[in-house]
């Protein structure tokens, strides 16, 4: 049997994996799906599970010796492996389960290539680790160009809130300077990170711990870095083991404004 991924570079593998998952997510949309309870109001659906199987099938065919950390299947291979893929097969499950088409499929090689697929727009945002592009319906790659022109800032309001009371996203939204400069949005999926890289959003903010190796955020962070966005924690420090949350901005001015407001809120 011919391996269709033989000789593919890592970016091509990430794209193929993300699109394989996106095809499952799109095909299963609108069906009555079984739910798998994860506690604290969180759950997965059979679409999450099947999409992850499709993604892992692509990665295993192309890179059989690589480790994989999947949102649904957990760790496969050594966690300390030099090459490990981080897979979130359906980011935005709560949106998806109620018929809202705001979801993303995230595939990232740690410290390498990554792809974020939008199952419903036909877009795949991807990076080889050096630059970042968007592909529409399988063709016409365009370089991602961040810009703050939209003034739209996505803020993740989902719990938990590990940095409260020092940082609360709702306090930022109440800051008088926020509405003067920006307009809030709540997409509830890391698709919003790809939108910052693509110039569709001015910034994205979320609380949390070290998100740099999270299956939810790794692909979006890789895209934004490759596109030239400003990427820090909510304290302005580089993200990493000691990191707290995430602030991604299209440019230095937007990042500086948001950090100033966040410091005043705290």
């Amino acid at each position: 049997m011919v391996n269709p991924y033989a000789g593919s570079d890592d970016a091509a593998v990430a794209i193929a994996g993300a699109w394989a998952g996106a095809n499952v997510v799109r095909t299963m949309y609108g069906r009555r799906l079984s739910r798998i309870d994860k506690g604290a109001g969180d759950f997965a659906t059979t679409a999450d599970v099947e999409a992850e199987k499709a993604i892992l099938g692509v990665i295993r065919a192309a890179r059989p010796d690589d480790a994989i950390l999947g949102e649904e299947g957990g760790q496969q291979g050594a966690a300390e492996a030099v090459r490990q893929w981080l897979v979130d097969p359906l980011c935005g499950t709560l949106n998806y389960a109620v018929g809202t088409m705001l979801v993303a499929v995230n595939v990232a090689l740690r410290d390498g290539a990554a792809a974020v697929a939008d199952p419903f727009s036909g877009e795949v945002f991807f990076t080889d680790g050096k630059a970042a592009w968007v592909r529409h319906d399988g063709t016409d790659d365009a370089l991602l160009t961040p810009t703050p022109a939209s003034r739209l800032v996505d803020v993740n309001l989902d719990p938990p809130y590990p940095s409260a009371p020092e940082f609360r996203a709702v306090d930022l939204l109440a800051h008088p300077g926020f509405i003067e400069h920006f307009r809030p949005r709540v997409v509830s999926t890391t698709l919003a990170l790809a939108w910052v890289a693509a110039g569709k959003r001015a910034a994205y903010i979320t609380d949390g711990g070290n998100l740099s190796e999270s299956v939810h955020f790794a692909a979006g962070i890789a895209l934004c870095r490759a596109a030239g966005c400003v990427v820090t924690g909510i304290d302005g420090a580089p993200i990493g083991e000691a990191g707290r949350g995430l602030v991604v901005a299209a440019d230095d001015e937007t990042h500086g404004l948001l950090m100033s407001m966040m410091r005043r809120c705290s």
Side-chain angles (χ1 to χ4, degrees):
M1 181 180 294
V2 177
N3 183 346
Y5 309 108
S8 298
D9 61 27
D10 288 331
V13 174
I15 293 167
W19 198 240
N23 284 336
V24 172
V25 170
R26 188 175 58 257
T27 299
M28 298 185 73
Y29 179 75
R31 297 183 187 178
R32 182 182 294 274
L33 301 173
S34 299
R35 297 190 180 191
I36 302 146
D37 183 40
K38 295 184 175 182
D42 193 15
F43 61 87
T45 70
T46 47
D48 298 67
V49 175
E50 293 304 315
E52 183 164 300
K53 288 179 182 177
I55 297 167
L56 266 57
V58 171
I59 296 173
R60 285 172 178 153
R63 302 290 187 268
D65 298 325
D66 289 0
I68 302 172
L69 176 61
E71 166 72 3
E72 309 309 331
Q75 183 69 47
Q76 301 182 36
E80 65 276 9
V82 174
R83 289 178 56 88
Q84 174 161 246
W85 294 86
L86 307 172
V87 175
D88 183 357
L90 206 176
C91 183
T93 300
L94 275 68
N95 284 343
Y96 184 80
V98 296
T100 302
M101 295 181 182
L102 288 173
V103 301
V105 177
N106 300 321
V107 178
L109 177 63
R110 182 196 292 157
D111 300 322
V116 176
D118 181 337
F120 301 105
S121 73
E123 294 173 310
V124 180
F125 306 88
F126 65 97
T127 177
D128 59 1
K130 298 176 182 178
W133 300 266
V134 60
R135 178 172 297 174
H136 298 272
D137 296 319
T139 59
D140 300 328
D141 295 353
L143 195 67
L144 294 183
T145 306
T147 171
S150 71
R151 300 176 62 199
L152 301 178
V153 175
D154 265 299
V155 181
N156 181 14
L157 299 179
D158 289 342
Y161 310 113
S163 299
E166 180 182 346
F167 170 76
R168 299 179 193 270
V170 292
D171 293 338
L172 174 62
L173 300 183
H175 189 289
F178 187 89
I179 296 301
E180 180 182 349
H181 294 282
F182 305 110
R183 290 293 181 270
R185 291 294 182 272
V186 182
V187 172
S188 298
T189 168
T190 53
L191 182 62
L193 273 174
W195 289 350
V196 179
K200 297 181 180 183
R201 292 288 190 269
Y204 174 88
I205 301 167
T206 184
D207 196 357
N210 173 21
L211 303 180
S212 62
E213 296 188 358
S214 161
V215 296
H216 305 291
F217 290 93
I221 289 171
L223 275 175
C224 289
R225 280 177 164 162
C229 301
V230 182
V231 181
T232 71
I234 58 174
D235 54 0
I239 58 174
E241 291 185 8
R244 291 197 304 136
L246 185 64
V247 178
V248 176
D251 61 0
D252 287 319
E253 182 180 0
T254 301
H255 184 267
L257 276 171
L258 289 169
M259 293 305 305
S260 175
M261 294 173 197
M262 290 163 64
R263 284 192 290 268
R264 292 173 190 170
C265 288
S266 62

